[in-house]
Amino acid sequence: MRLAAVPVALAAVVAMTGCSKADSGGGGSAGGEGVAADATIEEYRAAFEDVDPIDLNFQVASPNPEAHASLRDREFAESLEEWSGGKITVNIHYAGSVAAPTEVPAALTDGRLDMAHYYTTYEPQEMPGFVDMTTSMVQAPSTPLVGEIVSHAALQEVSFNTPEIMEEFTSRGMHVINPANPNGNISMVCADERSTPADFEGAQIRGNAASHKVQVEALGGTITSVELAEGYEAFQRGILDCSLQSPATALAVGWLEVAPHVYFPQEQSFAPGPGSLVAGAKWEQLPLVAQQLIFDRQREYTSAEFFNALESVRETSDAASAAGGSAQYLDAESEVALTSANEGLVKGLEESENLDGAALNTAVKESIDKWTGISEELGYTDEGGFEDFASWYKGSEDFEDREYLQAISDRMFDEIILPHRPS
């Protein structure tokens, strides 16, 4: 695997994705024989013997090659090479080195990129149905473990099952394999401690989803759109007071050094700002077996994504403390304000011009309930909060040991992703 130089700009994550169903990504393949969904590595290598070498350019999410998100994407790339017997070569490009976040669809169409993790919520005008879905996701719980699992599952399930959302991808030349990777539930990091609603009054708060404006204003702050790559300096210069993003993102870009006060909602959720795993024009040129391999490796990609999100929560508390801050919950009055804002956001979706908002809210609620039950069935429970997460979380700190996360990853693959596998 060849690794490109790490750029300084923040970025569009890219990952290859695609779908065989007309309502789930569309597109055909260059043909050839496929393999069963449970094919072994030996069976895959045998199927690739007569396949010409394939070279893929893959832009990933993080600007930091050692970040958890990079481990996830690097493992995915390496596994494509390994399982294809070396017939697939993946060239990794880090955050924004080929295309800026909003340029990813064009780069996938014109061939600069073949695979990408597209920051879908960065373009609300082009992806309005998807953004509506992320807004409806404020119905999800904001707990460290179950909330994380439920958010991942519901985002993916509802995306795949909503034709208007899938059409937003296909109409722009993107082929979906994994429609939503939230990279972790959203937290707020602040340069100074903010323990009462008065502390948020007038604060400049960065958001990355359209609904964040409503949530920030409900807290008394003012929304700002500082670019991720400029955030560290903005905190240093006092231009930025707080920012909404996943703990994984805050860690990857080093923000806890300058914004070590981390806040999580206790009963509510900040709206997620997930990206999507997508492929471009080259997808239809790939033989069927290559498309299937990219799809089938999503089983491990999901467990790696969970590791990324959950290990970042574990590390956030330590990093915040080391920088003179802490991980804690929003104060009770701010929680009440956020609750009111979220109720208004969900209610407002009923008037959406992009899709049937009432049906969307129902689908999101049903998916949240379904995956909450599945999480409990598989033994995943919240035994504490964010502040003491490291003391009760049972997962390993070793990226190579994701056994604890594999049961839920397998269930999500089987129920959400597998039905859309190319065939």
Side-chain angles (χ1 to χ4, degrees):
M1 175 176 62
R2 299 189 292 275
L3 304 184
V6 181
V8 292
L10 151 80
V13 280
V14 224
M16 189 145 189
T17 64
C19 226
S20 66
K21 313 300 182 195
D23 62 351
S24 302
S29 74
E33 295 295 322
V35 297
D38 59 353
T40 65
I41 188 170
E42 290 79 16
E43 290 170 326
Y44 256 115
R45 286 176 173 175
F48 269 97
E49 283 182 359
D50 296 327
V51 172
D52 291 334
I54 298 168
D55 198 70
L56 300 173
N57 286 306
F58 173 38
Q59 183 169 290
V60 302
S62 176
N64 179 359
E66 301 306 317
H68 296 314
S70 293
L71 295 178
R72 171 200 65 189
D73 293 322
R74 284 164 51 193
E75 180 187 70
F76 174 58
E78 290 167 357
S79 74
L80 295 182
E81 297 184 358
E82 180 184 9
W83 280 62
S84 68
K87 289 298 182 73
I88 295 178
T89 298
V90 181
N91 307 299
I92 288 186
H93 306 277
Y94 289 95
S97 58
V98 174
T102 56
E103 295 174 355
V104 166
L108 288 166
T109 301
D110 64 29
R112 283 175 289 159
L113 290 171
D114 303 312
M115 308 185 291
H117 189 195
Y118 168 46
Y119 274 114
T120 325
T121 55
Y122 276 34
E123 296 193 286
Q125 299 304 314
E126 287 76 13
M127 307 295 293
F130 187 93
V131 171
D132 279 353
M133 179 193 62
T134 66
T135 298
S136 187
M137 282 297 300
V138 300
Q139 299 178 80
S142 181
T143 61
L145 179 57
V146 175
E148 199 68 61
I149 290 171
V150 167
S151 294
H152 278 72
L155 280 165
Q156 291 180 17
E157 185 169 62
V158 175
S159 293
F160 266 136
N161 292 337
T162 306
E164 293 91 340
I165 291 176
M166 300 311 295
E167 175 62 22
E168 290 173 355
F169 289 101
T170 58
S171 67
R172 303 179 70 200
M174 290 182 281
H175 299 271
V176 177
I177 253 193
N178 198 321
N181 294 121
N183 205 33
N185 286 336
I186 302 299
S187 63
M188 179 188 289
V189 299
C190 297
D192 301 306
E193 187 171 6
R194 297 176 187 273
S195 56
T196 69
D199 296 331
F200 287 106
E201 195 67 37
Q204 295 288 319
I205 302 175
R206 176 188 171 276
N208 60 11
S211 49
H212 285 169
K213 182 177 187 295
V214 174
Q215 293 177 316
V216 164
E217 290 178 352
L219 294 175
T222 301
I223 195 74
T224 181
S225 58
V226 173
E227 288 288 338
L228 190 63
E230 300 169 0
Y232 192 100
E233 183 179 355
F235 274 120
Q236 286 182 312
R237 295 170 57 192
I239 296 173
L240 194 59
D241 297 308
C242 301
S243 176
L244 292 169
Q245 72 293 297
S246 70
T249 299
L251 285 167
V253 295
W255 283 0
L256 295 181
E257 297 172 8
V258 289
H261 302 278
V262 185
Y263 298 95
F264 296 92
Q266 188 159 6
E267 302 293 338
Q268 293 296 306
S269 291
F270 290 119
S276 307
L277 217 55
V278 292
K282 198 167 188 175
W283 179 256
E284 293 184 11
Q285 302 171 25
L286 297 178
L288 176 60
V289 67
Q291 293 182 348
Q292 290 177 331
L293 178 60
I294 292 165
F295 241 80
D296 289 349
R297 299 315 294 162
Q298 292 304 296
R299 187 186 299 274
E300 285 68 32
Y301 191 91
T302 298
S303 68
E305 169 64 19
F306 277 135
F307 178 90
N308 168 39
L310 295 166
E311 188 61 22
S312 295
V313 171
R314 190 205 307 263
E315 292 185 9
T316 290
S317 181
D318 290 341
S321 296
S326 64
Q328 55 193 291
Y329 288 112
L330 284 175
D331 67 275
E333 289 184 64
S334 295
E335 184 85 16
V336 170
L338 183 60
T339 299
S340 178
N342 286 353
E343 289 173 351
L345 286 168
V346 173
K347 179 67 175 176
L349 285 175
E350 296 178 4
E351 306 301 322
S352 174
E353 298 178 355
N354 309 312
L355 39 64
D356 186 335
L360 175 69
N361 284 336
T362 297
V364 167
K365 179 63 166 61
E366 289 177 348
S367 188
I368 289 169
D369 291 344
K370 169 186 171 180
W371 287 97
T372 298
I374 290 173
S375 298
E376 294 173 355
E377 170 193 330
L378 295 177
Y380 298 99
T381 58
D382 289 294
E383 298 177 12
F386 288 99
E387 73 287 351
D388 61 347
F389 183 71
S391 69
W392 60 265
Y393 175 57
K394 298 174 183 176
S396 172
E397 296 181 42
D398 181 3
F399 178 73
E400 301 300 326
D401 176 13
R402 303 199 299 276
E403 182 179 357
Y404 177 71
L405 301 168
Q406 203 58 54
I408 187 63
S409 301
D410 289 346
R411 188 71 169 264
M412 285 178 58
F413 179 83
D414 291 343
E415 295 200 19
I416 300 174
I417 296 175
L418 186 58
H420 305 280
R421 183 180 188 262
S423 61

